[in-house]
Amino acid sequence: MYVDHPLIKPNTVEARTYQELIVAKALEKNTLCVLGTGLGKTVIATLTIAGVLSKRDGKVLIIAPSRPLVEQHYNSLKNFLNIPEKDIVVLTGKIPPEKRKKLWKTGKVFVATPQIVENDIVAGRVPLDEFVLLIADEAHHTTGNHSYTFVASAFKGKVRVLGLTASPGSDIDKVFEVCENLGIEHVEIRTHEDPDVKKYVKTVKIRTVKVKLPKEYQECIKLVREALKERLRILRDCKIIPSTVVNRSELLSLQRRVMEIEGSSKYELIRVVSEAIKLDYAVEILECQGKDAFLNYFEKLGSQNTKSAKEIVRDSKVLKAVYKLRTLDVDHPKLDKLLKIVKNILSKNKKEKIILFAQYRDTVEKIVNLLRENNIGALPFMGQSNRGGKGMSQKEQIRTLERFKGDDSINVLVSTSVSEEGIDITSVNYVIFYEPVPSEIRFIQRKGRASRGEGGECIILITENSRDEAYYWSAIQKERNMKRILREMVKTLNKKLKERRVEGCRGPLDVYIEGDIGVVDKREIPSKLEKKDESEEKDREKKPKIVIDHRERNIGKLLFERAELEFKNLEFGDYILSDRVVVERKTSEDFENSIIDKRLFKQLKELKNYEKPILIIEGDRFERLEENAIKGAILSIVLDYHIPIIFTKDPEETADILLKLAEREQIKNKRPVEIRTGKKPMSLRERQRFIVESFPDVGPVTAENLLLSFGTIENIVNAPEEELMKVEGVGKTTARKIKEVLTEKYTKS
C-alpha cells in the first residue's frame, strides 16, 4: 500500500504506520525524530514537506552535513514530491553569491549544507520570513558553535522545525541542548526493536574477528611506549598527573591545566604534554593500523617546526623503532585477514556489495591497492582534500557512489567516516570495520549501513591486547546505554519541553500554526504585530554598516541581526567602521603567532592608512611566548605605533565592541563608511624611519634613537661602530651588523 497525497507522486512512497504517526506529530509541533538507520528518515522529511505545503504557502529548507547527502535528498525529493522540479533547488558554494540570492527568491524547496546557508544568512541573501519549514538532517550536530546551531537560531520561532537523527548520543544534557537550539517541542523515538517497526526491518549480526600482532610489531610498540613513559614520569614527578597510567582524554585535558601554572616552567611542561600526546597517538597507529601509517605519521612529525615534534623525531627509542619498521617486510595482520573475509563473501556472490570503513586516508589507500592487486573491484571514498592533498571533491564523491551502486565490477567501497552519516547505499549486506570506533554515534551509523537491504552482517577487525578492544567494548556499552537512556529520556524530554513551552510566551508563530494548520492567515495576525513590524523597520533603518573581511564570518554571525554587513576582501584590517576607523582583530593565539612570524608590525603599519586604527586582542591564552615578550609587543603597539588596544574575553564581547564603535561613528558622529585601498604615501619622516628600521636588529624605537642622535641617514651611514654603540639600543653585535650591511660588496648569487 502506498501513501495517497496530492503532493506525493503516486505509488512512490510505501505507507508505514510508524512513519505516518511521526509525521502527524511533526505537523503539530516542532519535533526531533530519532530513527534507526534504514527506517526512512528521508520519507518522513518528504511527507512532512507535503503536509506543511498543502496547508500553507511558503518555502522549505533542508540542511544536511555533506554534499553527497544534499544530492541524495535532492534526488529523493524529485522522485517523491509532486511539485515542479525547478522549484527544488540545490545550493552549493560553486554557485556565485548573486545567483544564489536570486535562487533564494525564486525557489520553493531548498537543500544545502548548513555552511552555505550560514554564509548566505549572514550576507543577507536568505528571505527568512518567507520560510515555513526547516528540516535538520543529522540534527545531533546542532550543538556548540556548529553551523547547524547558527542556522537553527536564525529560523527559531519563525518556522516549523523537524530534526532527524539516527543517534543523538547517550548524554541527556546534549540531547536537550539539541532540542533547545532547534526549538524542539516534542521528541519521537523509534528503534529496530519497537513493535510497530520490527516487521519492516531485518537485524544486523555483529561478528568480531581478532588478530595477533607479530613479535616484530610488539618490540617496536614497546620502544615507543618507553619513550612515552619517560614523558609521563616527568609529568608525574612535577605532580601534574598522579601516575603514569593515563588515557588519551586525560592527556588532552592536561594542556589547559598546565597553562594555569604560575611561572615560566609551564612552557617546558606544555612541550612535554604535547610530546606525550603525539607518542600516545603513535602507539595507537602502530597497534591498530600498521607500519606504513606509523611511518607516514613519523614523516609528518619530521616536517613540523615545533619543539615537541623535533624532540620526538630525535628520540633514540623512537628512531630505533622507525629503523626496525623500515627494514621490516611484514604488514599488519589485519590486512591479510581482511582479504580472506572479502574473498569469502565474494565466493558466495560475485556481485555482492561491501562497505569497508577505515579511520585514516593512508589506510584506505593501502586497502584499495591490496584489493585491486587481488582482482577485487574497489573504490576509495573520503572527504575533501586536506593539507596533505589527499581527498575527493564533492563531484568525485557523487560519481564514486553512483559507480559503486551501478557497476557490477565494483564490489567494495573503502570509506573514511564521510559515508557514516545517512548516505543511502542500497542492497549492502556486509559492513566491515578495519578498526572499532569508541563513539556510539559513529558505531551505530557504520553498523546501520548493513541494514538497508535484507539485513546483513557487521564484521569488526580487532587487534588483540590493543586499544581496539577497549574502543569496541566502549562503543557496545555506550550503545546499550543510549538505547536504555533513549527509552527513559523520551518521557523526561517531552515533560521538560512541555514545561518550557508552557512557561514561554506565545509568539506570532503559535497564533499562525496552532489548531487546524492554515486556518489563520498571515494577514489575520493582530495589528499589534503589525505595529511591532513597523517599529522593527525603524530600528533596522538605524542599523550601522560594518564592512567585514570575508575571513571574519564567525564574528559576522554574531552581528548580522544588529548591523548591515558587507563582506569584502579587505586589503588591510578586518572591520571598517567609518571613513576613519579600521579594526584589526586577533585572537590571543594569532597575536602570538603574528609576533613570531613578524606579520604583526607590518599589518599595524598598513592600518595607519586610516586616521584611527584599533587593535582588538580576543582571549588571554598566551602559550608560545613568555610574558615579557607579550608585554613588550603591547607597549610597542601603544607607544611606537600609537594604536590603541581593546582586550575582549570572547567573540561575543568583540562583536558588542564593534557594534558600539560603529554606532558611535555612524549614528552619533554621522561619519560615512569608506574603504581605502592602496598604500598611504609616507611622509619624509616616515620614509627615513622606514629605511633605518630595515637595518639588522633595528626596530622602531632604536631607529628613532639613531635618527635623533645623528640627525640624518647619511651621518648614520658614515658613523664608525664606536659611535653607533653610544646610541641606546645599539650594542656591539648590532653595530657590527649595520656596518657589515653598509660596507660589504654586493655579489651576484
Side-chain angles (χ1 to χ4, degrees):
M1 193 168 117
Y2 292 95
V3 171
D4 182 17
H5 190 284
L7 290 182
I8 299 292
K9 290 178 180 177
N11 303 323
T12 57
V13 177
E14 180 191 6
R16 294 186 179 184
T17 306
Y18 72 89
Q19 292 176 345
E20 291 171 344
L21 290 171
I22 292 170
V23 171
K25 280 293 183 186
L27 292 173
E28 182 187 337
K29 299 175 180 178
N30 290 348
T31 299
L32 174 66
C33 173
V34 181
L35 200 65
T37 303
L39 297 186
K41 291 189 293 294
T42 304
V43 168
I44 287 170
T46 306
L47 294 176
T48 305
I49 293 170
V52 170
L53 291 183
S54 64
K55 299 291 184 181
R56 297 160 55 195
D57 185 31
K59 298 179 187 289
V60 174
L61 171 64
I62 301 177
I63 52 174
S66 67
R67 175 69 187 278
L69 256 180
V70 166
E71 289 287 337
Q72 181 182 303
H73 279 295
Y74 173 67
N75 291 327
S76 295
L77 293 174
K78 282 197 303 180
N79 292 334
F80 297 148
L81 274 184
N82 196 18
I83 65 174
E85 274 193 25
K86 66 178 179 59
D87 289 344
I88 305 171
V89 180
V90 169
L91 294 169
T92 71
K94 293 191 176 177
I95 300 172
E98 284 308 308
K99 188 176 179 183
R100 289 207 306 272
K101 188 174 183 179
K102 289 177 184 174
L103 289 171
W104 281 116
K105 290 179 180 177
T106 58
K108 187 83 172 174
V109 179
F110 299 87
V111 196
T113 61
Q115 290 80 9
I116 292 294
V117 182
E118 175 185 84
N119 289 342
D120 284 353
I121 289 173
V122 171
R125 300 183 195 108
V126 184
L128 295 173
D129 293 339
E130 294 179 23
F131 281 80
V132 292
L133 175 64
L134 168 67
I135 297 176
D137 190 19
E138 307 297 346
H140 53 273
H141 291 301
T142 317
T143 58
N145 197 33
H146 199 287
S147 296
Y148 265 81
T149 308
F150 175 78
V151 174
S153 69
F155 282 97
K156 196 173 178 180
K158 299 182 177 77
V159 299
R160 174 68 70 231
V161 177
L162 172 64
L164 301 167
T165 180
S167 40
S170 55
D171 185 336
I172 191 167
D173 291 329
K174 284 193 176 178
V175 179
F176 196 70
E177 182 189 353
V178 170
C179 293
E180 283 283 336
N181 290 338
L182 283 168
I184 295 299
E185 301 162 296
H186 179 76
V187 178
E188 283 283 332
I189 295 175
R190 294 289 191 285
T191 68
H192 292 78
E193 289 82 22
D194 285 314
D196 57 350
V197 174
K198 264 187 176 180
K199 62 181 178 180
Y200 297 107
V201 296
K202 301 289 183 182
T203 57
V204 177
K205 303 178 193 75
I206 295 177
R207 175 162 65 98
T208 59
V209 176
K210 293 193 175 185
V211 299
K212 190 173 182 179
L213 283 174
K215 182 184 173 185
E216 296 89 344
Y217 270 66
Q218 293 176 20
E219 288 171 355
C220 294
I221 289 167
K222 186 180 178 183
L223 286 167
V224 181
R225 277 204 176 119
E226 284 172 4
L228 171 60
K229 282 278 185 188
E230 287 176 5
R231 275 73 176 178
L232 295 177
R233 285 190 200 103
I234 294 170
L235 297 174
R236 181 197 61 193
D237 295 344
C238 293
K239 301 196 176 355
I240 304 298
I241 53 176
S243 78
T244 57
V245 181
V246 291
N247 59 36
R248 174 79 54 78
S249 59
E250 288 169 339
L251 276 175
L252 292 170
S253 68
L254 286 180
Q255 291 177 305
R256 183 176 287 274
R257 278 178 48 204
V258 171
M259 274 310 299
E260 294 169 0
I261 295 172
E262 295 293 331
S264 59
S265 64
K266 65 183 174 184
Y267 297 104
E268 184 66 19
L269 289 171
I270 285 170
R271 179 183 62 77
V272 175
V273 171
S274 180
E275 288 174 31
I277 291 168
K278 288 179 171 69
L279 287 166
D280 182 71
Y281 184 65
V283 169
E284 182 182 321
I285 289 176
L286 189 49
E287 276 185 344
C288 307
Q289 301 295 316
K291 65 166 188 154
D292 289 345
F294 175 86
L295 292 173
N296 285 342
Y297 179 60
F298 181 79
E299 293 299 324
K300 285 173 188 171
L301 287 177
S303 65
Q304 289 178 14
N305 193 28
T306 63
K307 285 184 179 178
S308 60
K310 287 176 180 176
E311 285 296 321
I312 289 171
V313 297
R314 288 198 296 254
D315 187 284
S316 60
K317 293 181 178 65
V318 175
L319 286 171
K320 192 173 179 182
V322 168
Y323 176 76
K324 280 190 172 190
L325 289 167
R326 279 179 176 161
T327 56
L328 184 66
D329 191 24
V330 179
D331 273 322
H332 199 289
K334 280 185 181 179
L335 290 166
D336 185 51
K337 187 65 74 174
L338 172 67
L339 183 59
K340 287 177 182 175
I341 291 168
V342 173
K343 282 183 174 179
N344 184 49
I345 292 169
L346 296 179
S347 69
K348 299 170 190 173
N349 179 2
K350 289 183 180 179
K351 294 184 178 180
E352 191 64 76
K353 300 286 184 180
I354 303 164
I355 299 181
L356 199 157
F357 285 104
Q359 184 93 336
Y360 301 99
R361 295 181 179 191
D362 289 338
T363 307
V364 167
E365 289 182 355
K366 181 131 185 121
I367 293 169
V368 169
N369 291 335
L370 174 69
L371 294 174
R372 287 175 177 173
E373 285 166 10
N374 286 271
N375 299 316
I376 296 169
L379 293 174
F381 188 70
M382 56 186 74
Q384 295 182 59
S385 297
N386 58 13
R387 281 177 288 182
K390 293 176 182 175
M392 301 173 76
S393 69
Q394 292 175 335
K395 282 186 177 179
E396 286 174 326
Q397 289 175 353
I398 293 163
R399 280 199 300 268
T400 299
L401 287 181
E402 288 172 351
R403 191 177 169 200
F404 178 64
K405 290 178 186 179
D407 188 341
D408 287 342
S409 68
I410 302 298
N411 301 107
V412 187
L413 185 74
V414 188
S415 175
T416 59
S417 60
V418 71
S419 67
E420 288 172 356
E421 288 190 325
I423 294 172
D424 187 18
I425 306 168
T426 55
S427 302
V428 175
N429 293 315
Y430 291 93
V431 166
I432 302 172
F433 291 20
Y434 188 76
E435 70 284 290
V437 285
S439 160
E440 77 278 23
I441 293 176
R442 294 181 62 201
F443 183 76
I444 290 166
Q445 287 172 332
R446 283 188 176 192
K447 185 179 66 171
R449 301 300 113 213
S451 65
R452 291 197 179 273
E454 293 300 312
E457 189 174 20
C458 175
I459 302 164
I460 304 173
L461 294 170
I462 295 175
T463 306
E464 285 184 7
N465 302 315
S466 76
R467 301 206 191 164
D468 276 351
E469 291 186 330
Y471 288 165
Y472 171 72
W473 288 112
S474 172
I476 291 289
Q477 190 58 44
K478 285 177 182 175
E479 185 187 12
R480 286 173 186 160
N481 287 344
M482 190 176 81
K483 285 180 178 177
R484 175 180 54 79
I485 289 168
L486 282 175
R487 295 185 187 284
E488 292 171 0
M489 78 164 59
V490 72
K491 291 181 183 177
T492 307
L493 279 169
N494 284 332
K495 186 181 176 185
K496 274 189 177 184
L497 293 168
K498 189 176 180 181
E499 287 169 358
R500 186 195 64 189
R501 192 163 183 251
V502 169
E503 289 167 6
C505 60
R506 286 158 53 85
L509 187 68
D510 296 304
V511 177
Y512 181 43
I513 289 175
E514 291 204 342
D516 187 7
I517 298 176
V519 168
V520 182
D521 188 82
K522 282 184 178 175
R523 291 167 295 184
E524 294 173 43
I525 294 173
S527 58
K528 274 186 182 178
L529 297 174
E530 292 172 10
K531 288 178 183 175
K532 186 181 176 188
D533 288 343
E534 290 171 10
S535 157
E536 286 174 353
E537 189 61 37
K538 286 179 182 176
D539 289 341
R540 268 197 291 272
E541 290 172 6
K542 295 178 184 176
K543 283 181 181 179
K545 178 179 178 179
I546 301 177
V547 180
I548 304 182
D549 185 78
H550 70 98
R551 290 162 293 190
E552 293 287 304
R553 287 195 177 273
N554 278 341
I555 297 296
K557 284 157 54 176
L558 301 170
L559 289 167
F560 85 100
E561 289 182 321
R562 300 184 285 169
E564 179 192 337
L565 305 182
E566 183 180 352
F567 288 89
K568 294 272 188 184
N569 290 326
L570 295 180
E571 194 172 336
F572 32 76
D574 294 319
Y575 307 91
I576 295 171
L577 307 181
S578 72
D579 60 333
R580 64 177 184 171
V581 176
V582 64
V583 177
E584 176 76 20
R585 167 184 167 261
K586 291 196 177 293
T587 62
S588 51
E589 180 185 10
D590 186 36
F591 182 66
E592 281 186 303
N593 291 338
S594 65
I595 294 171
I596 293 165
D597 63 22
K598 300 180 180 175
R599 273 182 295 125
L600 178 64
F601 295 105
K602 179 178 179 292
Q603 289 172 329
L604 295 176
K605 282 178 184 176
E606 291 171 341
L607 293 183
K608 300 292 278 184
N609 280 282
Y610 280 77
E611 183 186 340
K612 293 186 178 294
I614 296 169
L615 175 65
I616 289 179
I617 300 177
E618 186 183 289
D620 58 3
R621 291 192 64 189
F622 301 105
E623 297 178 354
R624 296 187 66 187
L625 293 174
E626 303 239 359
E627 191 175 331
N628 285 341
I630 300 291
K631 286 179 178 176
I634 289 169
L635 291 173
S636 177
I637 293 164
V638 174
L639 298 176
D640 300 331
Y641 288 87
H642 309 292
I643 294 176
I645 301 174
I646 299 174
F647 292 89
T648 62
K649 64 177 184 290
D650 52 34
E652 286 76 14
E653 189 173 1
T654 298
D656 287 340
I657 291 291
L658 290 169
L659 188 68
K660 286 178 172 59
L661 287 169
E663 287 173 343
R664 189 176 188 276
E665 283 295 284
Q666 297 170 40
I667 296 170
K668 185 181 176 184
N669 296 331
K670 309 294 183 189
R671 300 197 74 97
V673 176
E674 185 179 300
I675 301 173
R676 298 188 181 180
T677 57
K679 304 284 189 234
K680 179 182 174 184
M682 286 185 181
S683 65
L684 175 61
R685 185 170 176 274
E686 285 172 331
R687 282 199 295 272
Q688 289 171 319
R689 281 185 55 170
F690 180 77
I691 291 169
V692 178
E693 280 178 39
S694 70
F695 292 167
D697 299 338
V698 175
V701 176
T702 307
E704 182 89 357
N705 291 340
L706 283 164
L707 285 163
L708 289 172
S709 295
F710 290 99
T712 67
I713 294 173
E714 183 181 18
N715 290 341
I716 296 172
V717 170
N718 293 328
E721 281 186 36
E722 296 76 16
E723 290 297 314
L724 292 174
M725 288 166 58
K726 291 178 183 177
V727 176
E728 186 180 352
V730 181
K732 187 175 181 180
T733 303
T734 302
R736 179 177 54 77
K737 285 182 179 178
I738 291 171
K739 294 306 292 181
E740 193 175 71
V741 165
L742 294 171
T743 58
E744 283 292 319
K745 187 177 179 181
Y746 177 78
T747 56
K748 196 173 182 180
S749 59

